[in-house]
Amino acid sequence: MTIQNREIAAIFEEIADLLEIEGAEAFRVRAYREAAGVIPGLGEDLADLVAAGADLTELPSVGEAIAKKIEVIVETGQLPQLEAVRQRVPPSLRELLHLGGLGPKRVWALHEGLGVASLADLRGAVEAGRVHELPGFGEKTEAQLRERLARWQGPSSRTPLIEAEGLVRPLLEYLRGAPGIADLTVAGSFRRRRETVGDLDILVACDDGGAVAERFVGYGAVAEVLAHGETRASVRLRSGIQVDLRVVPTASWGAALHYFTGSKAHNVAVRRRGVERGLKISEYGVYRGDEAIAGRTEESIYAAVGLPFIAPELREDRGEIEAAERGALPALVTPDDIRGDLHAHTDATDGQDSLAAMAEAAAALGYEYLAITDHTKHLGVVHGLDATRLAAQIDAIDRLNERLAEQYQGRFQILKASEVDILEDGSLDLPDEILARLDLRVASIHYKFDLPEHRQTERVIRAMDNRHFNILAHPTGRLIGAREPYAIDLERVMRAALERGCFLELNAQPSRLDLTELACKQAKELGLKVAISTDAHSRAGLEMMRFGIGQARRGWLAADDVINTRPLAALRRLLRRD
Ligand code: DGT
Ligand code: CA
Ligand code: CA
Ligand code: ZN
């Protein structure tokens, strides 16, 4: 059995975690982590690519070293570097990282100082009251850890959306080979663009259900057939994810699509409206008595209960039905609305690609602008820029922009920017004089995640007092399924941003999606606009925008609520604080 992309990614993820705990150089950790991030979303199996002798370095985030390692993994099923680091760092220390609240350095300190090698050991040490005796830990940390341990539910069994995309794409392609398919799509939480999916729900319109189900269970990546009938089947893929298939007649397509898109709560509310109108709604159609009055399209289902079409991302029973009834549904932001990206890195710090390459990639996406926001000096591990190096980058961007102006006839330019670290006392990591020379500043927290809520909140608001502060990047620091958000009063931060003319970022990286959809909605209700930014560390990273858009749509955001839907001149006006 050949190795799956997901398994290769897991190997890189583990090496990255263990090296990080051990205190390895950041660029090494980053290389593994970047690879682990993109591999699950690839359309093709790495094993097949290796077998075909393809040049793996053409893949996003895969350099020569990683390519070699992929080949070794495909050929041997393992990687010597992983075995080696496992000898030095107990693999179960990763559980401590995933618990949240502990950075790699402190995980290592717990290991060195108290011999802690696992979550169970940590629990024991906390209970014995030994943790606070370690230098740099203290009573407060110990209490926080106790609380986290009590809440900890274990790693999530849900699949990140990007990984689900990578798994489902080839499966849909394969299913299209069945005869007589009229329509084919993924419904469920995948269509609603949730951050993670529990399972995948594939819906097919076809008058020969048996043939489709037969083909489905014969798919190469199926590990186990859980159920197999004429018009439905369920399998578990080798990646571990479950996939449900339903085949319906074309006349029922809209009703089935509505039913299987969910959410369950939304469906229940729609059905209730049906009952009030003497209608019965099922996955086959809308019925008055025995007569089907709707079912072919989703629009027809909503129309039958007196509503306009409601976008899948809104279907969570969070007020969308009432809004639809009042004609007050937002015109949700779409990919076409996005005119630029306001957070991206280059190889001047921890990005993979050059300034010029990033510019070209952004222009190819049809953007009008791309802000280059390399890290600042406090983030020494990624060789963050000091004022001198940033000044040199500013000059380089000026030169590049002259060339770009010609090449794109003034339709595209690079914005001079920075992702400036917010220091512990709320000051910014670079002097005002150099910050003033930039088009915009993104500011973020990269250390001291464990401050108490009021101090973390004050820290950010103080930073916003600096009039060069424009956008708070990844506002809660969470990593989905891996790191809890730091304690911060987001509503206070939002109000402070609004008062000062600052904005919050919705970071589009599928592992972050920071803000959550609820936070997006809250920002909108307060009248605060957000920037949807990819935080790209490579050209391919710019394509993560779609995840940010899905999240923004789930948060009810329209184009007007998003600052990077503005043409450049209007964006500049918005960013001006005085
Ligand atoms: P997931 O898979 O946990 O990420 O979330 P969903 O929403 O994809 O849930 P899933 O796969 O259990 O079911 C897919 C859709 O099918 C769900 O969103 C709504 C519909 N559905 C499933 N079970 C029921 C049910 O008992 N009643 C109703 N009204 N709808 C259901
Ligand atoms: Ca599902
Ligand atoms: Ca399902
Ligand atoms: Zn960044």
Side-chain angles (χ1 to χ4, degrees):
M1 193 142 47
T2 55
I3 192 155
Q4 295 265 299
N5 285 2
R6 182 190 168 105
E7 296 164 286
I8 298 173
I11 290 176
F12 288 149
E13 197 70 62
E14 181 174 350
I15 295 197
D17 280 356
L18 297 181
L19 284 177
E20 200 172 16
I21 292 171
E22 192 183 35
E25 300 97 317
F27 72 90
R28 286 177 63 206
V29 175
R30 168 74 76 178
Y32 285 117
R33 219 180 275 299
E34 285 265 322
V38 300
I39 287 170
L42 296 174
E44 293 158 291
D45 279 338
L46 286 168
D48 294 344
L49 292 176
V50 170
D55 177 8
L56 300 180
T57 63
E58 305 210 327
L59 299 170
S61 297
V62 174
E64 302 244 331
I66 294 287
K68 251 262 147 67
K69 287 172 182 130
I70 291 172
E71 284 164 14
V72 172
I73 297 169
V74 167
E75 276 150 25
T76 67
Q78 51 181 6
L79 189 63
Q81 283 88 347
L82 177 60
E83 305 311 317
V85 71
R86 275 176 172 172
Q87 299 301 313
R88 303 189 300 267
V89 184
S92 50
L93 273 180
R94 297 177 74 207
E95 301 169 353
L96 272 64
L97 269 191
H98 299 167
L99 174 68
L102 285 173
K105 272 200 202 104
R106 300 218 291 175
V107 168
W108 191 242
L110 284 162
H111 179 60
E112 297 257 278
L114 299 174
V116 167
S118 68
L119 219 48
D121 292 350
L122 178 65
R123 216 179 281 277
V126 166
E127 257 143 47
R130 290 172 58 213
V131 169
H132 74 268
E133 289 161 8
L134 271 186
F137 277 80
E139 304 268 0
K140 223 174 233 161
T141 311
E142 188 168 283
Q144 277 170 4
L145 282 175
R146 187 172 295 120
E147 210 174 288
R148 271 187 197 276
L149 285 164
R151 277 199 324 244
W152 177 240
Q153 313 242 317
S156 162
S157 59
R158 297 179 64 86
T159 303
L161 193 55
I162 187 171
E163 201 169 316
E165 279 187 356
L167 290 166
V168 83
R169 208 179 304 124
L171 173 53
L172 292 181
E173 211 41 57
Y174 166 86
L175 282 176
R176 282 199 183 92
I181 289 187
D183 235 319
L184 167 71
T185 199
V186 190
S189 51
F190 182 92
R191 183 164 179 243
R192 303 197 313 278
R193 302 304 283 170
R194 278 194 60 179
E195 298 162 355
T196 59
V197 302
D199 69 5
L200 287 165
D201 305 282
I202 294 182
L203 188 65
V204 178
C206 179
D207 294 320
D208 182 5
V212 182
E214 197 63 48
R215 185 166 174 87
F216 176 67
V217 299
Y219 182 52
V222 167
E224 189 186 353
V225 177
L226 306 169
H228 181 186
E230 270 289 298
T231 59
R232 63 172 78 196
S234 285
V235 299
R236 186 171 305 287
L237 300 184
R238 276 193 272 140
S239 78
I241 199 171
Q242 181 176 326
V243 188
D244 296 338
L245 172 83
R246 275 296 286 261
V247 190
V248 298
T250 15
S252 295
W253 173 254
L257 184 54
H258 182 261
Y259 182 91
F260 291 106
T261 295
S263 68
K264 204 184 274 188
H266 173 87
N267 290 355
V268 168
V270 170
R271 236 177 301 142
R272 201 182 311 120
R273 276 181 77 90
V275 171
E276 287 162 14
R277 287 166 172 70
L279 301 174
K280 194 179 150 291
I281 302 176
S282 75
E283 65 261 52
Y284 298 105
V286 181
Y287 298 88
R288 186 181 306 283
D290 287 337
E291 186 203 355
I293 63 156
R296 184 169 286 277
T297 65
E298 273 191 315
E299 282 82 356
S300 75
I301 310 298
Y302 285 109
V305 293
L307 295 176
F309 179 80
I310 299 176
E313 294 92 335
L314 294 179
R315 300 183 194 169
E316 299 290 347
D317 195 24
R318 291 188 185 137
E320 71 277 12
I321 292 176
E322 296 75 2
E325 173 144 60
R326 284 185 282 117
L329 284 175
L332 299 178
V333 59
T334 69
D336 284 344
D337 292 324
I338 301 296
R339 292 182 193 248
D341 198 328
L342 299 179
H343 185 165
H345 299 270
T346 72
D347 56 9
T349 59
D350 60 345
Q352 302 223 320
D353 291 314
S354 68
L355 185 59
M358 292 298 284
E360 211 121 294
L365 291 173
Y367 288 164
E368 292 172 25
Y369 46 85
L370 170 70
I372 291 299
T373 55
D374 272 315
H375 289 291
T376 57
K377 63 186 193 312
H378 186 271
L379 216 51
V381 288
V382 302
H383 201 37
L385 305 184
D386 57 17
T388 311
R389 289 176 60 220
L390 181 53
Q393 189 181 60
I394 288 173
D395 293 341
I397 291 176
D398 283 337
R399 283 194 303 274
L400 177 62
N401 272 340
E402 281 176 28
R403 213 181 77 208
L404 293 171
E406 246 172 71
Q407 189 177 346
Y408 298 104
Q409 279 121 43
R411 286 192 307 268
F412 176 80
Q413 67 173 280
I414 293 288
L415 301 181
K416 291 168 274 191
S418 170
E419 177 177 9
V420 57
D421 250 63
I422 300 174
L423 303 182
E424 189 180 354
D425 64 0
S427 58
L428 298 181
D429 188 28
L430 287 178
D432 285 356
E433 301 79 71
I434 186 86
L435 293 178
R437 294 183 55 198
L438 299 170
D439 294 303
L440 73 114
R441 281 80 19 186
V442 165
S444 52
I445 286 185
H446 286 125
Y447 73 110
K448 287 280 175 190
F449 290 147
D450 51 359
L451 295 182
E453 179 174 309
H454 71 278
R455 277 186 57 202
Q456 199 70 282
T457 307
E458 288 301 329
R459 176 187 185 185
V460 168
I461 294 176
R462 251 219 74 204
M464 285 181 182
D465 284 338
N466 183 320
R467 46 183 294 281
H468 298 302
F469 189 120
N470 296 118
I471 301 170
L472 178 63
H474 38 74
T476 77
R478 70 140 176 190
L479 295 175
I480 297 171
R483 187 169 80 203
E484 293 288 310
Y486 38 74
I488 191 160
D489 183 343
L490 206 52
E491 182 171 342
R492 264 194 72 205
V493 169
M494 286 182 185
R495 289 186 189 281
L498 199 56
E499 281 164 14
R500 289 163 181 74
C502 303
F503 303 95
L504 262 56
E505 174 181 278
L506 159 51
N507 189 292
Q509 295 216 1
S511 60
R512 287 192 184 268
L513 293 174
D514 184 6
L515 307 169
T516 64
E517 71 240 48
L518 293 178
C520 289
K521 198 163 181 225
Q522 187 183 15
K524 181 186 175 115
E525 282 159 7
L526 291 172
L528 176 66
K529 298 185 194 309
V530 307
I532 309 177
S533 306
T534 62
D535 197 355
H537 284 74
S538 65
R539 286 169 290 178
L542 293 169
E543 283 162 32
M544 300 295 133
M545 188 60 85
R546 66 182 185 278
F547 297 101
I549 291 173
Q551 182 85 334
R553 290 169 63 87
R554 289 180 59 76
W556 290 56
L557 301 190
D560 188 55
D561 302 315
V562 177
I563 64 173
N564 48 316
T565 61
R566 302 293 194 283
L568 185 53
L571 175 71
R572 285 194 197 278
R573 277 196 299 279
L574 269 182
L575 291 172
R576 208 156 39 213
R577 282 187 58 174
D578 37 11

